[in-house]
Amino acid sequence: MQKRRTQGLSQFITAGFPTVEDTVPILKNMQEAGVDIIELGVPFSDPIADARDAGVTVPVILMGYYNPILKYGEQKFLKDAADAGASGFIVVDLPPEEAIKFRTECAQHGLSYVPLVAPATSDERLKTLGQIADSFIYVVSKMGTTGASSKVSSGIEELCARVRKFAGEDTPLAVGFGVSTENTSKPLDKLPMVLSLDPRFLGRIHKYNPRFGDFGGQYVPEALHTCLLELEKGFEDAVADPQFWKDFRDLYTYIGRPSSLHKADRLTEHAGGAQIWLKREDLNHTGSHKINNALAQVLIAKRLGKRRSLLKPVPASTVSPPPRDTRRQALNVFRMKILGANVVAVKNGTQTLRDATSEPSDSGTFQSVIGQETKEQFKELNDGKLPNAVVACVGGGSNSTGMFSPFEHDPEVKMLGVEAGGDGLHTDRHSATLTAGIPGVFHGVKTYVLQDDDGQVHDTHSVSAEHRQSDFIAATDAQALEGFRLLSQLEGIIPALESSHAIYGGVELAKSLPKDQHIVINVSGRGDKDVQSVAEVLPKLGQEIGWDLRFEEDPSK
């Protein structure tokens, strides 16, 4: 690309929309209309080579999220993109600390890496992002989603001035998001876009490192980073403040902590092996472990001066369960409304909690009270000894992390996580990400994900919704229902379907261990909300486990 001190036009389209066959003609028409740069939404990159063959010569920048690139394989993706004729990349959720390596590898293939900055981007990150840029910087003109607007941000000139302060006067800027008419482009008349491929090398690493070995991280669009940074700092300040912990622990009596730990004699007798103990998080106020993290996050929100808190489906000021889970959680939803919550159903994606929530990493800190109490309670009841194993269901991971983390330095304690196996791991209807998933990026972090060959995350299904002593298994819907029945009929405790997976896995583990060993199963929630779901699936799944029980509208008949 030739240097020029004039304005230019960059245009975005999605590869394959409306059809793959339409993409190349659209690219050619954009070039003929005078577009200087084409931003092509991935995952589909095949049209680039076809477009080059058809005479499209303007720079084509691939724009998208990091997970499809990670799934495809970075090196293979870069090579194939370069071979197809791509000019560079805009990866909207790749943080600078990750972009160092990616940008260097792009340069090795003759490709450019284009960072994004947003109105909320801090000066510190602007300095880093300015150093990463080797061609131009994409300036997001407004917060929120992409698309046409009646005007660009009133502070766009100031934002561009801030970017130039850290990136240098010669670094070209491309202003995007909402520039759709002559009126919206007027404020940009004095902002030339200069295209230059003079490479630069990143000089320093961002000071935050939110990673756990190969996992974790902050794979989020630039517009969200400042919000996460505020939350991160608020969390770190809170956990370092004794007054915060006093305020949190003062709420234990409201929660019902410590939750009880007791032996399950009849369940133990049924298993015929190790002694089974139950940690009763189902007895907490609101009926599960979730209140531990919910109240802590509300306290942090208050410290940050926030007046509302958006949380997972527990009683709170505003919650967002999706329609499918709203139906399954109907009783909980009604309880929330009784308590004054504003319940908003998330209608995007699969309409399950997968699309509605993503818990921040501070969850494990506040849920660790589960394992801490278990440790002390068990030692007090067993002459200072620790259990041989602890068992928890694994979905979002908060209750299993809460149970497991206090035992991470006790190698003699086995940790067993039981995932939702749905219809079986041999089908595509399950939620066993740790058992059957592969590394990917989802909900802003690198983790294990069920995904297809294009890096698109699969829908998950279940009847419910890296550690050396940790094992993970999957329990099918029928097996979870067996766990539900066992605890209900042998111990008089109706567990949540999520917890029922752990019950089944724990009983199977107990059968394999001698009678002088002990295991603790975390009963993470109570099952009132799931009784209707059990009634609906029993006609089918009951046959698999020999449970012939039917719901009757009028039992007197």
Side-chain angles (χ1 to χ4, degrees), residues 114-135:
V114 180
L116 285 87
V117 301
T121 303
S122 66
D123 286 353
E124 182 177 7
R125 284 179 69 82
L126 281 178
K127 183 177 179 181
T128 301
L129 292 166
Q131 292 173 330
I132 291 176
D134 60 9
S135 56

Side-chain angles (χ1 to χ4, degrees), residues 191-244:
L191 304 174
M193 184 175 71
V194 186
L195 303 180
S196 173
L197 287 179
D198 295 335
R200 281 203 186 106
F201 204 81
L202 184 62
R204 72 181 184 85
I205 300 175
H206 183 54
K207 69 178 182 179
Y208 294 98
N209 183 28
R211 304 191 65 84
F212 304 88
D214 291 334
F215 298 94
Q218 293 178 345
Y219 297 82
V220 297
E222 182 61 25
L224 292 178
H225 181 82
T226 298
C227 300
L228 284 178
L229 192 61
E230 180 185 13
L231 176 60
E232 184 177 44
K233 186 176 186 304
F235 165 70
E236 291 175 350
D237 290 345
V239 297
D241 184 356
Q243 184 60 45
F244 169 81

Side-chain angles (χ1 to χ4, degrees), residues 287-324:
S288 81
H289 68 289
K290 294 177 182 177
I291 193 171
N292 303 323
N293 188 48
L295 291 182
Q297 290 199 42
V298 168
L299 290 178
I300 291 177
K302 288 179 64 177
R303 288 172 64 98
L304 294 174
K306 311 299 181 184
R307 301 184 63 184
R308 292 185 178 183
S309 183
L310 181 66
L311 299 169
K312 290 180 71 172
V314 292
S317 57
T318 302
V319 292
S320 298
R324 280 167 55 184

